[in-house]
Amino acid sequence: MVIFDCDGVLVDSERLSHTVLCEMMAERGVALGFDEAVELFIGVSLPVGMVKVRELLGGSVPADFLPEMGRRTRQAFLAGLTVVPGIVGVLDALRRPYCVASNGNHAKVSFTLGHTGLLPRFAGRIFTADDVDRPKPAPDLFLHAARMMDAEPRHTTVVEDTPTGITAAKAAGMRAIGYAAMTSVDRLHAAGADVVVQTMAEVQALLARPHP
């Protein structure tokens, strides 16, 4: 079985969402560079992300911050969200069961997959942080997905683009492929990835091989 992360693996959302975050922080007097935002926020759950926002803002988050960020991120997605280049070919070639497991919530994942045309491919096989008490980097979400898919963790491969996701996959006893699109190869290796690649063609080739 194969588990795909959503943001940055299925849909090319990370650049859009981090750009919105940087703009909103700048409007509140905090200079947050794009690379720094990626370093701090990529792959984290919303509650963890808001703790980081609170720290950057000096201890409090305006009541309208999260709703405004959601509105502006949705607008950015409607205007420019696409699938990750090459992922459709990966899914078309896959001969194993697969699903998606995301640190986002069900509403966000359904929206992004629906907007990009991927939703029918994952119908009934969408698992999110809403489903577990502890999101990634805890193993709970991946273990939940494996149980629901009737798959053994040791026979499961995870495709992830963040250290948070790689850490969760390895804690779950699964094989982890790191997709280094916005996170460095070194960071994914340091998190424990079994292999790190930089294109979906490489992901497709790895998934075509028998699981070790």
Side-chain angles (χ1 to χ4, degrees):
M1 201 258 288
V2 180
I3 302 176
F4 294 94
D5 180 38
C6 186
D7 294 300
V9 173
L10 298 177
V11 298
D12 198 7
S13 56
E14 300 285 15
R15 288 177 179 80
L16 297 172
S17 59
H18 284 85
T19 296
V20 169
L21 176 60
C22 290
E23 291 171 350
M24 291 188 63
M25 297 301 284
E27 291 164 6
R28 288 157 179 81
V30 176
L32 179 66
F34 182 83
D35 290 343
E36 183 184 4
V38 170
E39 180 82 15
L40 289 172
F41 291 94
I42 194 167
V44 304
S45 64
L46 182 59
V48 171
M50 292 311 295
V51 169
K52 294 176 182 287
V53 167
R54 185 182 305 116
E55 292 171 352
L56 289 169
L57 291 176
S60 64
V61 180
D64 65 343
F65 186 92
L66 188 55
E68 176 68 7
M69 185 170 69
R71 184 187 68 80
R72 288 166 65 165
T73 300
R74 185 181 179 89
Q75 287 181 334
F77 286 175
L78 286 170
L81 184 63
T82 61
V83 298
V84 168
I87 190 61
V88 172
V90 172
L91 298 176
D92 285 345
L94 201 52
R95 297 295 177 262
R96 289 186 249 168
Y98 63 85
C99 65
V100 57
S102 170
N103 252 3
N105 56 42
H106 275 287
K108 179 188 176 186
V109 174
S110 294
F111 170 73
T112 57
L113 293 181
H115 182 69
T116 54
L118 294 179
L119 187 58
R121 295 173 181 265
F122 290 92
R125 291 173 285 123
I126 297 173
F127 308 103
T128 79
D130 288 343
D131 301 324
V132 294
D133 291 332
R134 300 186 304 164
K136 309 171 196 176
D140 303 35
L141 179 55
F142 287 143
L143 292 173
H144 170 71
R147 283 193 300 271
M148 297 301 292
M149 295 289 291
D150 196 26
E152 293 186 36
R154 64 191 180 94
H155 292 150
T156 298
T157 296
V158 175
V159 183
E160 269 282 359
D161 69 320
T162 72
T164 300
I166 295 294
T167 299
K170 297 312 296 179
M174 299 174 179
R175 180 189 184 211
I177 297 175
Y179 174 57
M182 291 184 60
T183 303
S184 72
V185 170
D186 289 344
R187 283 191 71 197
L188 294 177
H189 274 306
D194 294 286
V195 61
V196 178
V197 300
Q198 294 181 288
T199 69
M200 280 296 164
E202 293 170 281
V203 172
Q204 183 173 331
L206 287 170
L207 294 179
R209 301 174 187 172
H211 192 288

